[in-house]
Amino acid sequence: MNTSRERVLRYWQAANARDWQAFAELLAEQIVYEVPQTRERVRGRANYVEFNRTWPGLWRADIQQLVANDHQAVSVIAFHVDGTTETGISVFDFDGDGRIARITDHWPVPYAPPARACDCIERY
Amino acid sequence: MNTSRERVLRYWQAANARDWQAFAELLAEQIVYEVPQTRERVRGRANYVEFNRTWPGLWRADIQQLVANDHQAVSVIAFHVDGTTETGISVFDFDGDGRIARITDHWPVPYAPPARACDCIERY
């Protein structure tokens, strides 16, 4: 089968194309998806496809960074939806068949920089 | 030299131990550190050590997930500081000498779950 890197590329390609057949084929039947920030969890391939299929808005994910090894991968995406852009960070764990067994999703948002104790920081 | 995984373990060990000599040895001289959420940037080894050395509070990082390959790594940490725990996600890029050339840091915080269009989600 393909490498972890190729599987994550295919995952986002399938999501962007709304190709739920190709998307589902990448997932383990017992996939667990979690968002630690909201403590939401989705269990199982059918539920997880439905969760994505019904995600509201006109959205598209562009991969910005992808770090992968044999069993895990992390993608950082720019998630464009209805004129706004969010950052999504997904940690993927693969099972022995190369299917996605677990996804842990993080959604960091902008915040005002705190006071810092050193004079060593610039803004960009 | 050590693997990317070992270097990241050592990075957090040195930080927790406030061993700034060991910490500095892991960094490229021209390291660039960025926080996309605040658009803060720190350039250079001396500045980056100072940035960490002066981080306020009694803090300690516990690695929760670590995904590494030859040139990159991502750590997810529980950052304990003054009785609270934050989540930090750091993307590390290594140079040809195995030193950390770039760190991109993300700090996701809890938020209320949005309305969802499918009946496929549980809370934990």
Side-chain angles (χ1 to χ4, degrees):
Chain A
M1 202 168 162
N2 300 319
T3 65
S4 301
R5 169 174 291 272
E6 288 166 335
R7 286 178 213 126
V8 173
L9 292 174
R10 194 179 169 102
Y11 173 92
W12 288 117
Q13 282 167 356
N16 284 335
R18 314 298 192 260
D19 182 347
W20 303 116
Q21 177 73 30
F23 188 84
E25 285 169 6
L26 296 163
L27 310 177
E29 191 174 342
Q30 304 300 328
I31 185 173
V32 175
Y33 168 87
E34 287 182 353
V35 183
Q37 289 166 276
T38 57
R39 302 187 70 78
E40 291 173 296
R41 178 186 288 137
V42 180
R43 289 176 188 269
R45 183 191 288 150
N47 280 334
Y48 187 62
V49 171
E50 190 64 6
F51 175 69
N52 283 272
R53 196 186 64 76
T54 58
W55 194 289
L58 280 175
W59 52 265
R60 174 181 173 79
D62 287 333
I63 297 175
Q64 308 219 296
Q65 287 189 291
L66 176 51
V67 177
N69 61 32
D70 286 351
H71 305 293
Q72 291 180 292
V74 178
S75 66
V76 180
I77 58 164
F79 188 76
H80 306 289
V81 56
D82 295 337
T84 68
T85 300
E86 300 169 22
T87 297
I89 303 173
S90 309
V91 182
F92 297 86
D93 293 291
F94 297 92
D95 67 16
D97 295 325
R99 292 208 167 75
I100 301 168
R102 177 175 283 274
I103 299 173
T104 310
D105 231 7
H106 304 275
W107 296 90
V109 297
Y111 63 94
R116 300 291 194 184
C118 87
D119 184 28
C120 54
I121 297 165
E122 59 187 85
R123 303 293 301 283
Y124 67 94
Chain B
M1 199 170 166
N2 301 318
T3 64
S4 301
R5 169 174 290 273
E6 289 166 337
R7 286 178 213 128
V8 172
L9 292 173
R10 194 180 169 101
Y11 172 92
W12 288 118
Q13 281 167 356
N16 285 336
R18 313 299 193 259
D19 182 347
W20 304 118
Q21 177 73 30
F23 188 83
E25 286 170 5
L26 296 163
L27 310 177
E29 192 174 343
Q30 305 299 330
I31 185 173
V32 175
Y33 168 87
E34 288 182 350
V35 183
Q37 289 165 276
T38 58
R39 302 188 70 80
E40 292 174 296
R41 179 186 287 137
V42 180
R43 291 176 188 270
R45 184 191 287 150
N47 279 334
Y48 187 62
V49 171
E50 191 64 7
F51 175 70
N52 283 272
R53 196 186 65 75
T54 59
W55 194 289
L58 281 174
W59 52 265
R60 173 178 174 79
D62 287 332
I63 298 176
Q64 308 218 297
Q65 287 189 290
L66 176 50
V67 178
N69 61 32
D70 286 352
H71 305 292
Q72 293 180 291
V74 178
S75 66
V76 179
I77 58 163
F79 188 76
H80 306 290
V81 56
D82 295 337
T84 67
T85 301
E86 299 169 22
T87 298
I89 303 173
S90 308
V91 182
F92 297 86
D93 292 290
F94 297 92
D95 67 15
D97 296 325
R99 292 207 167 77
I100 301 168
R102 177 175 282 274
I103 299 174
T104 310
D105 232 6
H106 303 273
W107 297 90
V109 297
Y111 62 94
R116 299 292 194 184
C118 87
D119 184 28
C120 53
I121 298 165
E122 59 189 85
R123 303 293 299 282
Y124 67 94

